[in-house]
Amino acid sequence: MTSFPTNRLRRLRTNQTMRDILASVRLHADELIAPLFVREGSGVSSPIESMPGQFQLSVDTALETARRWAGLGLRSVLLFGIPDKKDAVGSEAWNDAAAVQRLTSEIKNAIPDMLVITDVCLCEYTEHGHCGTLVEGDGPMDVDNDATLESLARTAASHARCGADIVAPSAMMDGQVQAIRSMLDADGFANTAIMSYAVKFASALYGPFRQAAEGAPSSGNRKTYQMDYRSPLQIQSEAALDVQEGADMLMVKPAWTYLDVISEVRRNFDLPLAAYHVSGEFSVLHAAAANGWIDLKDAAIEVTSAIKRAGADLIITYFAEQLAQWI
Ligand code: PBG
Ligand code: ZN
């Protein structure tokens, strides 16, 4: 064993070319998934104040955006719907004529090579803003797990009918992957894949998204269904259950603040792994950059690279468009 001064680790960092040939963690546009918020109407392009550079779009402007992204080399989008109509169970979520469904079929017609992933949840569609149907009665408010499964499955089937390549259930109901897989198979969509938000924590970092998607719970919080970040033991069981139920890909969310979780899931499961670099993780970088405290481009590339280095195969990020231009 040699040591200093024979050993000098700085030798491998002497110049840019040396550093570049040794840079094994590199971002590719292929692995970036761009979230997109779509609502009813036409010609809509409303900036989301909490998320600089992000917009609520209508189907027409969203299609233009998807075309622009495809031109930059992005291969996949993740669609979120913002409905005009909300009710107790979120029934607009499985309306084949709603914005997400129309946009899905328009993208698949216009840009067939672009993968359309749809978020399957009910919080944007329920008037109370929870991710499912509430338990009836006077007890403490909670989401009725089993009653919600049917709604999630119908939503996924509706997305599949409109051409979604991948459905991504994010409600954190036990059994949701199984319920969706059975309905998709029964309806003839054996090839529609499921990217399960398997390991999703209740997080303060979803704050800006709730403004973007207009789906904040009107009372209470999501802690009875989303995971507790203080209890890492559940990571294994949550991922394992979804694998057993038929998930094709797993997801960890948030990403930047949960790099250890990404590594753990990577080590223990051999399914493709996505990580969701969430709204709060995006907005803090923008806020710091706006104050001149960090360089946005360098910081965004560094953080996204860290997510990849931790073990993510796919990265869902609001920086997707900019990263595709930068890398
Ligand atoms: C809804 C959903 C949320 C996000 C994705 N799907 C919010 C939540 O669970 O409260 C958060 C995404 C982000 O913050 O970027 N099921
Ligand atoms: Zn939800």
Side-chain angles (χ1 to χ4, degrees), residues 35 37 51 78 80 119-124 129-131 168-172 197 200-210 212-213 215-217 222 225-226 251 253-254 276-282 316 318:
F37 300 100
M51 299 171 69
L78 172 61
F80 291 92
D119 183 81
V120 175
C121 201
L122 301 161
C123 44
E124 292 96 9
H130 280 283
C131 300
S170 66
M172 287 300 284
Y197 287 67
K200 173 174 176 179
F201 291 89
S203 173
L205 296 164
Y206 305 152
F209 174 93
R210 292 182 184 174
R222 304 208 204 285
Y225 41 107
Q226 299 179 351
M251 192 201 299
K253 177 181 173 193
Y276 199 140
H277 183 219
V278 300
S279 57
E281 296 173 327
F282 169 82
I316 302 162
Y318 304 99

Side-chain angles (χ1 to χ4, degrees), residues 63-230:
L63 183 62
E64 284 317 303
T65 302
R67 276 190 216 275
R68 185 174 78 241
W69 288 348
L72 292 169
L74 294 174
R75 316 293 298 272
S76 56
V77 287
L78 172 61
L79 308 187
F80 291 92
I82 307 159
D84 284 344
K85 282 177 261 169
K86 300 190 189 223
D87 61 22
V89 296
S91 60
E92 186 68 3
W94 57 88
N95 176 355
D96 284 359
V100 162
Q101 283 84 345
R102 289 185 346 260
L103 178 59
T104 299
S105 56
E106 295 224 4
I107 295 177
K108 291 313 295 183
N109 282 331
I111 325 166
D113 289 341
M114 183 160 246
L115 280 186
V116 175
I117 310 171
T118 55
D119 183 81
V120 175
C121 201
L122 301 161
C123 44
E124 292 96 9
Y125 298 88
T126 53
E127 54 210 0
H128 43 75
H130 280 283
C131 300
T133 303
L134 299 185
V135 175
E136 294 193 30
D138 307 328
M141 186 205 45
D142 196 10
V143 173
D144 184 336
N145 190 87
D146 298 9
T148 301
L149 295 180
E150 166 90 5
S151 303
L152 292 169
R154 290 173 75 173
T155 303
S158 167
H159 295 172
R161 270 195 296 282
C162 296
D165 300 283
I166 304 175
V167 293
S170 66
M172 287 300 284
M173 295 300 126
D174 291 323
Q176 62 183 11
V177 172
Q178 182 177 67
I180 290 171
R181 187 71 271 158
S182 339
M183 195 175 294
L184 289 178
D185 289 353
D187 288 2
F189 298 106
N191 285 327
T192 307
I194 300 177
M195 172 191 280
S196 144
Y197 287 67
V199 185
K200 173 174 176 179
F201 291 89
S203 173
L205 296 164
Y206 305 152
F209 174 93
R210 292 182 184 174
Q211 186 184 340
E214 300 178 8
S218 52
S219 69
N221 55 50
R222 304 208 204 285
K223 292 184 183 178
T224 68
Y225 41 107
Q226 299 179 351
M227 294 165 67
D228 189 321
Y229 58 82
R230 301 168 302 179

